Structure formats: C-alpha cells, structure tokens
Amino acid sequence: MTARAALPPLALYVHVPWCVRKCPYCDFNSHGVGHGAVLPEAEYVEALIEDLDQDLALIEPRALRSIFIGGGTPSLLSPDAYVRLLEACEARLGFEPGIEITLEANPGTVERTRFEGYRQAGINRLSLGIQSFDDALLAELGRIHSGDDAERAVEAARAAGFYNFNLDLMHGLPGQSVEGALADIERALSLSPEHLSWYQLTLEPNTEFFSHPPRLPEEETLFDIQDEGHARLEAAGLERYEISAYARAGGVDRRARHNLNYWRFGDYLGIGAGAHGKLSRRDADGELTVTRRWKSRQPESYLKRRCDPRGFVAGQRQIERDEIGLEFLMNALRLVEGVPLELWQARTGLSNARLAAQTARARSMTLLAEDPGRIKASPRGLLFLNDLLALCESARVPLE
C-alpha cells in the first residue's frame, strides 16, 4: 500500500472570527464588532488562501471530502468572498464527488438575504444557530434573533435551494423546564430539518457565564430533558448517530460528513484566525505521525502574519504515541455506531493488542459493546461517556 493510500480522508475547516455580539456562553474564537461594521473581507480571504498554500507545502495532497466554514458568524461575509475562496480551494486540492460544503449562519435579517448568493457560490449546506425558540431565553443567551426570525430563516434557506441544513438547538438553558425544552424540540421538528445538533449548555472557562453563572436546571431535570427529548426526536424520524447529533433516517444520508471525519480521526486543514488542524504523515518506513497545528488567534495579528516570515502558524505539536490512542477513542466513541476495528491501526499506527489493553477495564464494566468487528460504546457507555473516556485515559499501557 502506498503512503498516499494509507492516509485518512482530508477535510478543510475555515474560521471567520467576527460576530455582531459575543454571546455570554461562547468560548469560541469570536470577536464582536457590532451592527454595520465594515470588515476587511477581501484582505481576509486573501490571507485564507495564503494560509492554505502554506499548509499544502507540508501535506500529501488529497481531494477535499468536506469544507466547514465556522465562526464567529461566517454569514457576515458576502457570497463573493466565498466564490473567491472556494474556487481557490478547488484549484489547489480538488473536490471529492458530492463534497459537503457547510456555512454556519445566524437567522438574522441581513444574513437571510444572502442565502441565494451562498448557494450560487457552491455552499450546499447551512448550519443555522437557532439555540432556542423562546425569546426570553434567546435574550438571556445574548442572541440577536427571535424565534420567529429562526422560522423565517429556514423558509428563506429552502427558497434559496438549500435542501440540506442543520439546526443548532441547546437545552439545559437558564431556568428551563422539561416542558420548555420539549417545546423547543416541537418547534424545530415543525421545520422538518434534515439534521439537528441538540446539546446541553455547559459553562466554559473564559466566558461571561462562567464568571457569573446563571441559574441552570437541576440534575434530575437535565436527565429528564435528555431522556424525553431523545425519545421525541427519534419518534419523529431523526436518528441519533453521535452523542449530540441527529439526522433524518432513511433515504439520503444527511449525517454531517465533516463531523464524521472528525469522529473517525480523519485529517483536516484549519485556516483562519485561531483555526486548528490535524494532519497525518507516513515516513519512508511507513511510520505514522499525527500533528496538530493552530493559527494566530487575534484577527489583527492573523492578518499581519501575511507579511511575517513565520507564516500563519502560531504553534504545532506532534501527538505522542502514548496519547494518540486516547485521542482516537475520544472521537470514535462519540459515534453511536462506533468505528470499524481496522480503523484503529490505520489512524493511530498502534496494534490491536494495545487497544485491548487500553479498553480492558471499560469492557469489564460493560461500557463497551461486545462487537468483535467494531469499537463502540454500549448504550450504558454512551450514557456515561465521560466515565468511559476517563477509564481509557487512566489505562497507561507501555508502548509495544
């Protein structure tokens, strides 16, 4: 097998760091600029292309399987910006047939007017940051749209030709009841999304909510929300395939191709302010190494790197061989179906004996499914995923 054939699929993450207003729960690299701000759009797109060129010099080129444009609020940039960027990406790497190109968008009025332009630029999937349909909760979350705005955004997306879109919906919000969380689900279901990301609000360091915590639901309420919400989503034909992601069952596969590449420990380039990437290489002897790279975080500093001989990379780290197995498991075990056993060796370069040693205790506690051909969490393991991963991490196995 050649080195090229042995490498994982390749995806691209593009980060757009600006948003209208920073939300109090958000720990992403996003920078509020207010309404009507003039962004250095053309300069930023050219920086993204130069960033991509610098990364390409270090990798074995492969056609892109997916592109995800996240933020911040990527829909603050014009469709023309994405025409320029996507043409440059395709010219340099090529696109796999059926490539998935996702743009994160807010349901605000200005962004909605651009949906048709984004579709014409080549973007074929939207991810709409709804979070809730409850206007009071949206205000507490710092969102600048209403529940009605969210519904209009979905209508505009379909009218623009988007037949594949994701709705981001949070639960466990300040003071939220089981009934309130289920009401959000019902409103989301009325919009017939192909994909739903449904995840619990967590208080992350370096956020306003972490410094000044709101009153969140009790543990018992959170458990009931998750239990009843999961049952309602599956009853409506949305199948859970990842710990917090649901896709329309039957027909066309609407699972997020880009996210599946993450969970299967695929490779991805990361371009843009603060973007992260993960890249695999094989040396002449076939030895696999995996390196993580990250880019300059502040938008102004990132743009200045265009004239800096250091380039855009702020840092990189090769994953040590005694860490790579855990990183693989932290991703793969999020998938309900897990991953094929052969992916372990292909993506980590480690033996199956090491996998068995690293997961022995978790298996004895029935947190892993008894499936000889797959690495997957049991239903109990998915329920206690953090405990499962902690057991795998604590299994310090000498390298063979």
Side-chain angles (χ1 to χ4, degrees):
M1 181 180 292
T2 65
R4 177 169 181 151
L7 292 176
L10 183 67
L12 173 67
Y13 175 74
V14 181
H15 192 74
V16 178
W18 299 287
C19 54
V20 173
R21 183 171 65 191
K22 179 83 170 180
C23 296
Y25 60 86
C26 177
D27 68 334
F28 295 153
N29 183 34
S30 57
H31 304 264
V33 294
H35 287 283
V38 178
L39 300 177
E41 177 178 290
E43 183 184 4
Y44 192 72
V45 170
E46 294 310 309
L48 290 172
I49 295 169
E50 292 174 21
D51 191 353
L52 177 62
D53 284 336
Q54 291 177 16
D55 275 357
L56 291 183
L58 302 173
I59 69 165
E60 178 77 22
R62 286 152 279 171
L64 290 172
R65 171 164 292 189
S66 63
I67 300 173
F68 192 98
I69 306 164
T73 305
S75 50
L76 291 179
L77 300 190
S78 71
D80 286 345
Y82 293 116
V83 170
R84 168 75 176 123
L85 177 62
L86 294 177
E87 286 179 349
C89 292
E90 186 171 21
R92 285 157 174 78
L93 283 162
F95 292 167
E96 286 189 5
I99 185 175
E100 173 192 275
I101 304 177
T102 301
L103 178 80
E104 283 188 334
N106 276 346
T109 303
V110 173
E111 290 90 338
R112 290 202 308 269
T113 64
R114 293 174 161 179
F115 286 173
E116 186 173 349
Y118 294 140
R119 186 73 185 88
Q120 292 174 354
I123 293 160
N124 54 27
R125 184 175 183 268
L126 289 180
S127 182
L128 298 172
I130 305 298
Q131 314 313 348
S132 176
F133 292 91
D134 184 309
D135 289 347
L137 284 177
L138 286 169
E140 190 159 0
L141 292 172
R143 306 298 289 174
I144 59 174
H145 68 272
S146 67
D148 288 344
D149 285 335
E151 293 186 346
R152 285 190 284 268
V154 172
E155 293 170 2
R158 291 208 187 279
F162 285 99
Y163 301 108
N164 186 16
F165 63 86
N166 167 66
L167 301 184
D168 264 350
L169 197 64
M170 291 199 294
H171 61 86
L173 302 180
Q176 190 177 49
S177 64
V178 176
E179 293 74 21
L182 292 176
D184 268 348
I185 286 177
E186 291 301 334
R187 249 182 118 171
L189 291 174
S190 72
L191 301 173
S192 302
E194 287 79 18
H195 190 281
L196 187 73
S197 296
W198 187 60
Y199 51 93
Q200 184 178 321
L201 170 66
T202 55
L203 305 185
E204 301 290 351
N206 302 315
T207 65
E208 184 181 333
F209 271 4
F210 190 83
S211 302
H212 303 93
R215 182 178 61 86
L216 298 182
E218 299 292 334
E219 285 294 326
E220 185 175 346
T221 301
L222 291 173
F223 181 83
D224 289 342
I225 287 173
Q226 292 179 35
D227 192 44
E228 295 186 34
H230 170 68
R232 180 67 189 97
L233 289 170
E234 294 225 317
L238 287 168
E239 186 174 37
R240 185 190 193 193
Y241 70 95
E242 189 266 336
I243 198 72
S244 58
Y246 296 75
R248 183 70 58 189
V252 178
D253 186 357
R254 293 303 191 188
R255 295 178 299 173
R257 181 181 292 197
H258 190 83
N259 288 347
L260 284 172
N261 190 58
Y262 287 152
W263 309 139
R264 292 167 178 164
F265 215 52
D267 281 353
Y268 53 96
L269 297 164
I271 60 173
H276 285 239
K278 175 242 169 195
L279 297 171
S280 305
R281 299 184 74 177
R282 288 192 183 275
D283 60 24
D285 297 323
E287 186 75 19
L288 179 71
T289 61
V290 178
T291 302
R292 294 199 180 277
R293 294 159 55 83
W294 54 95
K295 306 301 173 61
S296 185
R297 183 176 174 85
Q298 295 295 324
E300 297 81 5
S301 298
Y302 177 82
L303 288 172
K304 288 178 181 177
R305 290 292 189 104
R306 294 186 69 190
C307 305
D308 192 319
R310 294 173 298 173
F312 295 94
V313 176
Q316 62 181 16
R317 182 179 72 88
Q318 183 173 313
I319 304 174
E320 299 295 333
R321 291 193 71 220
D322 62 352
E323 298 175 352
I324 194 169
L326 175 64
E327 290 216 16
F328 177 92
L329 293 170
M330 287 176 66
N331 286 279
L333 291 175
R334 292 182 63 92
L335 291 171
V336 173
E337 68 176 13
V339 296
L341 180 61
E342 58 266 23
L343 216 58
W344 167 266
Q345 278 192 319
R347 302 286 160 86
T348 69
L350 301 174
S351 71
N352 287 349
R354 182 172 174 81
L355 171 66
Q358 193 158 357
T359 58
R361 191 170 174 212
R363 195 172 296 281
S364 72
M365 297 175 65
T366 67
L367 294 173
L368 288 173
E370 293 296 334
D371 187 334
R374 302 191 73 78
I375 307 167
K376 62 181 288 190
S378 66
R380 183 167 177 266
L382 285 172
L383 191 60
F384 298 102
L385 185 60
N386 288 338
D387 294 335
L388 169 56
L389 295 175
L391 286 172
C392 296
E393 183 177 17
S394 65
R396 296 295 179 182
V397 184
L399 285 169
E400 63 275 10

